[in-house]
Amino acid sequence: MNIVQVRMNQPPQARHPGGGALRPAPSGAVGFILWVALVTILPGRVNAQPFETHARLQAVNEDGTSAWTGSFPFRLRGVWLNNPEDLLDPQPAFLPWDNGAHAGQLGGQWQVFLQAVDPEDRGGTACWMGQNYGNLPWIRNSDLSYTNRAWVAEILRLEHDPETGHRFRAGDLVEVTVNQSLFYGGKRNINEGHSIDPQYDFSFRLLQAGYGLPEPEWVPLSELVRVDDGDPDTSEEIFDPTRSTGCEHWQGMRVRIPGLRMATDPTLTNRLGARFYGTNGWNPSLPWGDRRCTVTDGAGRYFTLRHPRYSLGPVPTGVFDAIGILNQESGSGLQGTNGYELIVQQIILPPPEIEIGRPVVVHWADNGTDYVLESSASLSDPVWTPVNRTAIRSDGRRLVILPPEEHQRYFRLRQP
């Protein structure tokens, strides 16, 4: 306890963090010292959640599981990398447990990724919420799912700044207050711990609207995966638990992977096994689990792309770059060394080849006479031949448009 020296006259009205005024202490040394102690301890720090970094939150062990040792609640800052409806379908779809008839069917789902912006931080974090927690096999209770009305209210709460009413969009800088998070699939997610209890809610606060998406970091496929070894039971994704290299270095961040081609050879199932998706997932109307495709750099490396819920155009047939969020879906809560993918937000195709044509336009004043246009390759020993093109009348002139030729030619008008 710190005790400071102040004047012995009437003390000011101090404010308790809960909102009520503190009464001045009665005269006398004991009461006065008590009042001084209160004003030195209380101002502005009660109920203030500490800040966490993405780098610490996403730290992993040798097996890729979470190494985070922090506590709740905490605050985290970052830029929204996506609009939630671009990744998962938030449409309310309550389904009861019904003795397991709807086991695993989560109804509406909601997800955004935040990327660090502070110079001393790096990485990104997913924030996820589902509707029908009661359909999870370890819960099995419809009362523990959101009704459709409650689910819509949760989405409205999450997507709007409580102070301004601003609807959060990709590129907004925000602060999220976190009361629960879980590790699954290779990353620690901000979520509600599969609970509809408000004490586990996470919530956003606007720091700057339209802050801007981070510039994607350029990452060749050779930095993410090794050349495939031909064994479908192994993964060539580069995992580094220190997060200084490989997929972990860019997880949760916007990246640009150059020089990709769609992998379409069906015999790749012999090399990649279940990790070969071909191009069937290049379809925004498919559910999350089916929107996966396989790409290659043409040098024996293969990687997974996940299509968003909006159109990226037809399946690319040539080389392209892909920009998006590097994600991880290992499918396990016990290990996180594989399952990396790019959630595609944009593809960049090379510019088309430019074809330059140089048509020759020969024109003269239209005086009413139907001249014959003739040409010759030389003037020293000319051979004049009629040009087999119809003259066009336009703005008091006659024009003949000719295809380009490599050799020079001369033209004249002959009156028939």
Side-chain angles (χ1 to χ4, degrees), residues 37-101:
L38 284 172
V39 297
T40 57
I41 291 175
L42 293 177
R45 298 196 180 273
V46 176
N47 298 326
Q49 297 87 4
F51 278 105
E52 186 56 276
T53 66
H54 294 267
R56 287 194 297 263
L57 187 64
Q58 298 302 331
V60 294
N61 299 309
E62 292 289 334
D63 59 358
T65 57
S66 177
W68 183 67
T69 57
S71 60
F72 306 107
F74 63 82
R75 291 176 291 167
L76 188 71
R77 289 176 177 167
V79 176
W80 271 35
L81 296 186
N82 63 280
N83 296 325
E85 66 273 14
D86 294 344
L87 302 189
L88 297 173
D89 187 355
Q91 186 71 22
F94 172 79
L95 290 171
W97 170 251
D98 195 14
N99 293 319

Side-chain angles (χ1 to χ4, degrees), residues 201-224:
D201 283 350
F202 58 95
S203 58
F204 296 95
R205 182 173 72 89
L206 181 66
L207 298 180
Q208 182 178 335
Y211 177 88
L213 289 171
E215 190 67 23
E217 295 191 12
W218 189 282
V219 186
L221 204 57
S222 59
E223 297 289 327
L224 302 176

